[in-house]
């Protein structure tokens, strides 16, 4: 038997170190802006699935920024709203395309 820890413990240690200690927050802020812009670009091109993927990327980047403690309480609400709006727009575009 091989346990979950045998397979994934080192992965979890390294990813936790990156998320909480090492991630370059300046680069992450830039990546968030780029993912949001690319989501909008995909929406303009009527490509809802890639738009949704970019919204998910923005969400993951936000989570890392949050873990690094570089987003204030006031900013947090704005970032959550931005991610929600992107995901909602992607889903609406998908429904429109499917109709």
């Amino acid at each position: 038997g091989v346990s979950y820890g045998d397979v994934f413990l080192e992965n979890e240690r390294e990813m936790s170190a990156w998320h909480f200690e090492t991630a370059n927050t300046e680069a992450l802020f830039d990546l968030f802006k780029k993912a949001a812009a690319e989501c909008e670009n995909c929406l303009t091109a009527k490509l809802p699935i890639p738009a949704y993927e970019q919204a998910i990327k923005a969400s993951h980047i936000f989570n890392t920024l949050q873990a690094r403690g570089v987003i204030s309480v006031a900013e947090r609400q704005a970032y959550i709203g931005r991610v929600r709006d992107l995901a909602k727009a992607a889903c609406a575009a998908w429904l429109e395309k499917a109709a």
Side-chain angles (χ1 to χ4, degrees):
V2 176
S3 71
Y4 179 88
D6 292 336
V7 176
F8 292 107
L9 182 58
E10 185 59 26
N11 180 334
E12 290 187 22
R13 283 185 180 144
E14 290 184 21
M15 291 306 295
S16 292
W18 181 76
H19 281 284
F20 293 105
E21 301 164 9
T22 309
N24 179 332
T25 56
E26 187 177 312
L28 290 173
F29 280 116
D30 185 52
L31 288 171
F32 182 91
K33 289 177 192 170
K34 288 178 178 178
E38 193 57 26
C39 179
E40 295 287 350
N41 182 48
C42 291
L43 289 168
T44 300
K46 306 252 187 256
L47 299 169
I49 294 172
Y52 183 75
E53 289 294 322
Q54 294 301 315
I56 294 301
K57 282 183 185 182
S59 177
H60 287 307
I61 294 163
F62 161 74
N63 287 333
T64 302
L65 288 166
Q66 182 75 19
R68 294 285 283 130
V70 295
I71 294 180
S72 71
V73 173
E75 289 174 316
R76 183 178 185 274
Q77 184 176 6
Y79 274 89
I80 291 170
R82 182 71 173 127
V83 169
R84 181 182 56 235
D85 290 345
L86 292 171
K88 188 175 172 182
C91 291
W94 185 85
L95 287 171
E96 183 180 311
K97 191 171 182 175

